[in-house]
Amino acid sequence: MSEAGDPLDSLPAAILADVLGRVSDTGDLAACRLASRALLAASYHCPRVSLSAAVRARRRREGGGGDAFRSAAANVAALIGPYLRSLALDASEGHGFPDDAMWVEEGEFDEGDDLHLTCGESVASWAATAAGPALREVDIADFWPQSCWRKAEALPVISNFCHNLSKLRLKNAWLSVDGLKIMPNLTHLALEFILLDDENLSTLNKCFPCLLTLNLVGVGGLKNPKIHLSQLKTCHWEVSNVPESLAIHAPNLVYLELKCVRPEILILDTPSVSTLKLTIDKLGPTVQVDGFASLTNLRIESPNLNSLLKVFVNNREITTLDLELPSSKNGFALYEAVNPELFSRTTEVKLSPRFSYELMRHTVFSMTAYDCRSCLKKLLVHMPPSILTGCPFVPLLNNCAPSCEVTVLFHADSSCNARQAAASVWPLGFPDITWQWGTWQ
């Protein structure tokens, strides 16, 4: 620093602390502390901190083990204390070196390289400090080779100390719910690649009653899970195993993304949903879809399109319809599933990449026979690598509403000459249509 003094002294401490919070990584934060007295003072008020085991290992090749990483999290929490609002800990890539965190013979484990960040002791080391009640956001990605076989107490410990937490994300862990307390301030919860000891989700429903956003991605250990959350607005649920039944009771839910296989019982008590993205192999014998009076945006990826369209499209005013096929399925057997009359009630249609070219041709030619005037205002199609000289979806364009906006995405492997020819010739037959062009991979 020069004799003229620190040029950052003139800035308010709150602004400097916010700047350091945007840096967040502890290594960069430490460098900033050494660069300026003002930054050093502001670092004690830093609101956001992020630690990565892999990044620390690359910076310090001499190692230090998992204990050192866990201690770093505890030290940062103790140092910043009541000013810390967001804490992110990432050990998902281990130390980044093959010799770190290795298994030893006979299944024993080198505790000196322990990166089990969701265990009760590790969580308590930072949650029990003055930072615990101050935290609003916590994000922990554990090291799966070490966490998958040891049940962790992260949830009960966090609920005991982090009373004001609003956002929580836990990844790569086996989580216990024993002793979990109600967290009325938690509004966003994400559990990703988790083995959860809550087979019916009854404890989750009880202890997180005010959730607005819930993401369950690859959560195992579930038998007959039921989401029952009255305030929930957004839900993304990818079911990792094959439970016999799935149920969602959420009267205020507006966005639902559900990916499952073939549950015997599917209950969706979600009358306010306006956007539904559904990926499913097959509907079971018992399906209860109550309401959906607000459903306007629908995406379906399934080989069982016929049944799904009858359940979710019939007698509903769908404005945006997005259809896709699983990559392993043949579209030939699904021609009859897509009723051309769908397009007469839909203002925007997206034919996704795996919706085969043959299926698209059959659909639009069938429309000619129906002679149904469409209200279609937006159409998006994905063209295969080989492009015919003439536009293959002319019958659909004939039934579009005036001034329809058509987006054509050519496959990246298609030739430039073919794209240029299509872009110059196809619009000539439909001058009232607004054409847009792009590519897809």
Side-chain angles (χ1 to χ4, degrees), residues 351-370:
L351 302 182
S352 294
R354 291 191 301 271
F355 216 87
S356 70
Y357 178 57
E358 289 78 12
L359 179 60
M360 182 179 70
R361 287 185 64 190
H362 182 276
T363 301
V364 298
F365 286 137
S366 295
M367 288 195 65
T368 304
Y370 275 81

Side-chain angles (χ1 to χ4, degrees), residues 387 414-424:
I387 305 174
S414 59
S415 69
C416 292
N417 291 337
R419 298 186 207 179
Q420 292 173 0
S424 60

Side-chain angles (χ1 to χ4, degrees), residues 61 247 277 285 319 390 402:
R61 288 185 175 273
K277 296 183 178 182
T319 58

Side-chain angles (χ1 to χ4, degrees), residues 56-57 60-70 95 100 112-114:
R56 285 174 61 86
R60 301 177 59 189
R61 288 185 175 273
E62 66 272 17
D67 283 347
F69 180 74
R70 286 163 42 165
H95 280 198
D100 293 329
D113 282 334
D114 196 352

Side-chain angles (χ1 to χ4, degrees), residues 212-225:
L212 300 177
T213 299
L214 175 62
N215 293 340
L216 301 176
V217 178
V219 176
L222 307 179
K223 290 187 177 179
N224 296 300

Side-chain angles (χ1 to χ4, degrees), residues 2-267:
S2 67
E3 295 180 357
D6 190 342
L8 297 177
D9 284 340
S10 60
L11 292 177
I15 292 180
L16 291 176
D18 183 69
V19 170
L20 291 177
R22 297 176 189 277
V23 173
S24 78
D25 179 77
T26 53
D28 296 333
L29 186 61
C32 292
R33 297 179 76 223
L34 295 175
S36 162
R37 290 194 185 96
L39 291 176
L40 174 61
S43 67
Y44 293 97
H45 295 177
C46 183
R48 293 175 289 273
V49 170
S50 175
L51 292 89
S52 168
V55 171
R56 285 174 61 86
R58 285 193 291 269
R59 286 174 173 165
R60 301 177 59 189
R61 288 185 175 273
E62 66 272 17
D67 283 347
F69 180 74
R70 286 163 42 165
S71 297
N75 292 337
V76 166
L79 181 70
I80 302 176
Y83 298 98
L84 190 61
R85 296 293 181 268
S86 175
L87 178 63
L89 307 176
D90 186 0
S92 58
E93 298 180 12
H95 280 198
F97 296 98
D99 292 333
D100 293 329
M102 294 294 293
W103 298 90
V104 297
E105 293 182 1
E106 298 181 357
E108 295 180 358
F109 191 77
D110 182 0
E111 295 295 338
D113 282 334
D114 196 352
L115 284 169
H116 192 203
L117 303 185
T118 52
C119 73
E121 179 183 358
S122 178
V123 174
S125 68
W126 51 263
T129 67
L135 281 167
R136 301 295 187 271
E137 301 180 13
V138 168
D139 186 334
I140 304 176
D142 217 332
F143 187 43
W144 184 246
Q146 298 178 9
S147 62
C148 66
W149 58 280
R150 292 183 289 180
K151 189 183 299 187
E153 302 81 19
L155 283 174
V157 173
I158 289 174
S159 70
N160 188 56
F161 292 106
C162 305
H163 307 132
N164 295 304
L165 203 65
S166 61
K167 294 183 179 181
L168 175 61
R169 174 178 176 263
L170 299 175
K171 181 179 180 180
N172 302 338
W174 177 10
L175 297 178
S176 170
V177 295
D178 291 340
L180 181 61
K181 296 182 179 179
I182 296 177
M183 301 184 69
N185 293 312
L186 194 71
T187 56
H188 295 70
L189 176 65
L191 302 178
E192 302 176 10
F193 309 109
I194 296 292
L195 181 60
L196 187 65
D197 282 1
D198 187 16
E199 60 184 28
N200 298 324
L201 296 181
S202 57
T203 303
L204 183 147
N205 293 322
K206 175 183 177 182
C207 294
F208 307 128
C210 298
L211 285 181
L212 300 177
T213 299
L214 175 62
N215 293 340
L216 301 176
V217 178
V219 176
L222 307 179
K223 290 187 177 179
N224 296 300
K226 178 189 298 184
I227 294 174
H228 204 306
L229 297 166
S230 61
Q231 299 186 41
L232 194 64
K233 298 287 188 181
T234 300
C235 182
H236 177 191
W237 193 4
E238 294 187 16
V239 184
S240 62
N241 54 1
V242 190
E244 293 183 358
S245 68
L246 298 174
I248 301 178
H249 300 276
N252 290 304
L253 191 69
V254 295
Y255 177 95
L256 173 60
E257 186 170 353
L258 178 61
K259 183 176 182 179
C260 52
V261 184
R262 51 179 68 193
E264 293 294 311
I265 301 174
L266 177 63
I267 300 174

